[in-house]
Amino acid sequence: MITTGSKLLVGSAVAAGLLALIYGVANGGALGTIGLISAAAGLALLAGISTYGRDANVSAMDTDAFESSAAAQASATPSLWPLLIAVGATAMALGLASLPALFILGAIIVTAGALEWLVQGWSERASAERGYNSHARNFLIDPLEIPIAAAIVFGIVAYSFSRVMLGLPSKSSTVIGFSIVSALVLAIGAVVGVKRGASKTALTGTFGLATVALIAGGTVAGVNGEREIEVHKTTAYYAARGECGAEEVSADEKASQTVAGKSNVAAEVIFDGTTLTWTAPGFVPTVEGAAPLTLPRSNPNNVMFRNESGGEARLVIGMNPRLDDNGQPVGPEQICTALAKEGGVQFLTLIFDLPSFATDEGYEFAVPGTDATLEVVVP
Amino acid sequence: MSERPSTPRRLAHAARLALLGAGALAISACAQDAPQDTWAPEGENAQTIHNLQWPIFLVAGIVGVIVMAVVLYAVIKFKDRGQPIPEQSHGNPIIEYTFIALPAAILAVIAGFTVNTIFDLAETQDTECVINVTGQQWWWEYDYPVAADGSICGYTPSNAAAVPLITSGQVIIPTDTKVLIRGTSRDVIHSFWIPKLNGKRDMVPGRVHTWRFHADGPGIYAGQCTEFCGLSHANMRMEMIALDPDDFQAWLDNQLEPYQSPEAGTLAAAGEVTYVSQCARCHQVDGLVDGNGDPIVSAPDQWVYSGAAPNLTNFMTRNTFAGASWDLLTPACRDEVWNASPEDFGAAYLKGVTPECLNEIDLKEWLRDAPAKKPMYADATALLETDGKVRGMPNLGLSEDQINELVAYLLERK
């Protein structure tokens, strides 16, 4: 007697084998073919084990074994998993016509539903004892189900919370809101810790309500959208517009690009109001300051501009970009920092296409509106 | 059915095996030709590390021996021989606190010396020579910036105004000088390691890392990349060459000699033409000009993912190539340089590669099919993710005549 589970596995193995054949011939994709052949081999192995190890060889003459074998038990109870699979399949169909993300979500739902249904169907007929069947199901699926469910719930809660924080009208209100929430969590935790006799129902209800409220708040906030958050301009922004003159739209201390880059700059260029000097680890600024700054070619060079003059200033450099076949520059012709306030710093990332000797004028840092310059040598 | 050996025989067998293993370990630790021996410092920074690691190994060894002895004693002494189970007790505050406090005290002392060493090695204020180091798959580029007084590493060229030097494979430093490298990477993370002169320092793209070097005496100090960086990580080597002051001055002057075209009608002259047509798109030879007298500028950023290829201006003054993975010298000539006495080392190294000493076999194999010699992602048609840019040197499909011409041309790059 071949069980339903064995039939399912045999069918799956055959299907995987056929798909491998079709995919291999039609697409010629080695990776997919290998995956499908592996699946077919794995499923065939499981089918073999199931057929051999389960109750396939129960003799009809052995009445006790025949009546108590798992395959002889009643069919699996009705299940809701097919409903979920149907939802997933619908999402996949819609996704094909609209959003790829919806298709992927549908595929995940279908896979999860099919897996759950498969395990349920198998476990309910694993033996003649319902208690053991239930234990077998939990033993197999809990290690998957519980972490995934926890991750989904955590993800929803975290996403909802972030929507609420981003939806609040100002940065100050997010600080206040976060403080209130964290204080509440701390207070509830303290109460639970002190009152060890708190009922499970009350706790579940409280956390359930809080979760629902958070998700509702996150949904509302998500629909309303984020508050307006100022985008700080980067050097690329100014380079693209050629806005590297002495005049400026706004002096912004936060227009730098990365924090990490600041900690490992190639050099720090200092403007004292009349001259530009530079310093870097290993160089003594008073001696080296007058020397050209050497920077490598074809590599991002992070340079910090420190404005120690009495007013606002910015650092500008002509980049001598390579020309394309039509004689047009392939990169910005000059780039600059945002305007740095008195005592402020700005950050600049430079990539040189050509060595200095291949350009007519070489490379030179300058501060618009002043005569301050600093030679840069690209070997 | 064979009889199982008795316990004493089995113990004797195990002891013999253990002795054999220990002997093999001891013998392997006695290598004579070990240019990357971490226990043989030859500079003050490596000595600083050595001064820390030696006592730590000693303490760790003593602790290890004590622990093993106690474990063995407990295993043998309290082996189950059918005796009654001794009285079970739990908790002895004196022993427990002792065994917490003792390791904590040992670790605290080690941490104190370690932190002190880290700060010593991070010092940059006493630098006498700065060299920029850039890693890329799978070789190192070095450039020497010019100081405000027109010197390079404290040496003023005697024959020309100083301009930043650029080289690869071998980095030249003056002996007894505090050298600071300022390192970064053009593609992935690499790690710079010359064991006899200092420890390892990662080179991360977009960041600049400083690392000190100091060589007590002249010689070749070998190293290799120690951060897995792709297919030919194992072939990304480097050599730091320390030269005495006079020799360093001579090396510096030679590097700044103006470019000289090969004599017309020679094989090298044909090689110059081949070089311009086949190699100059990626490799730079400073001073090489076209028919109009304009400098020929390489554009490796258009062909190579890292955006760089080794500068070949003075190729034959260094004696390795392809990321210092192969020697440009024949084995006999190589040994002459490596085994030269400190007094003779400078002269031996500064000879560079002569026609008699050229390792033509490896160089020609490289020119014939570089990816076959050193694994690289050099098939542009298979590199969608890098937009067709190669990682490493591709097979240029050169003819044997072209290869001979190129070798003749490169031989004059001194």
Side-chain angles (χ1 to χ4, degrees), chain A residues 264 266 287 297-298 302 322, chain B residues 182 186 206-208 298 301:
Chain A
N264 286 73
V287 176
R297 181 185 172 194
S298 300
N302 297 318
R322 192 187 303 283
Chain B
R182 304 177 68 238
R186 284 193 171 99
R207 299 172 74 93
V208 176
S298 64
D301 52 307

Side-chain angles (χ1 to χ4, degrees), chain B residues 14-188:
Chain B
R16 274 199 298 275
L17 278 177
L19 204 62
L20 198 65
L25 278 176
I27 290 168
S28 68
C30 295
Q32 291 297 309
D33 184 19
Q36 293 179 201
D37 188 350
T38 53
W39 291 90
E42 296 193 25
E44 62 183 33
N45 300 296
Q47 188 64 50
T48 302
I49 295 174
H50 190 70
N51 293 344
L52 175 71
Q53 74 177 357
W54 173 243
I56 289 177
F57 268 83
L58 186 67
V59 171
I62 292 170
V63 170
V65 167
I66 291 172
V67 169
M68 287 304 295
V70 171
V71 168
L72 279 174
Y73 173 78
V75 167
I76 294 166
K77 172 79 174 171
F78 301 108
K79 184 185 174 191
D80 182 7
R81 299 182 179 87
Q83 70 271 44
I85 295 173
E87 183 190 350
Q88 301 295 296
S89 63
H90 177 73
N92 183 324
I94 293 175
I95 291 176
E96 286 177 14
Y97 287 134
T98 303
F99 284 141
I100 291 170
L102 202 59
I106 292 172
L107 289 176
V109 171
I110 289 173
F113 284 108
T114 303
V115 170
N116 193 43
T117 300
I118 289 170
F119 278 104
D120 280 350
L121 294 175
E123 182 63 55
T124 61
Q125 293 301 312
D126 55 357
T127 301
E128 295 167 319
C129 166
V130 175
I131 301 171
N132 294 321
V133 176
T134 310
Q136 49 268 296
Q137 291 170 321
W138 293 270
W139 58 284
W140 296 93
E141 180 183 88
Y142 310 102
D143 75 71
Y144 296 70
V146 180
D149 60 1
S151 68
I152 290 176
C153 284
Y155 293 76
T156 305
S158 59
N159 55 345
V163 292
L165 294 176
I166 189 161
T167 183
S168 64
Q170 292 182 323
V171 55
I172 319 297
I173 64 168
T175 54
D176 205 20
T177 301
K178 291 180 172 60
V179 177
L180 188 81
I181 66 165
R182 304 177 68 238
T184 185
S185 165
R186 284 193 171 99
D187 38 38
V188 299

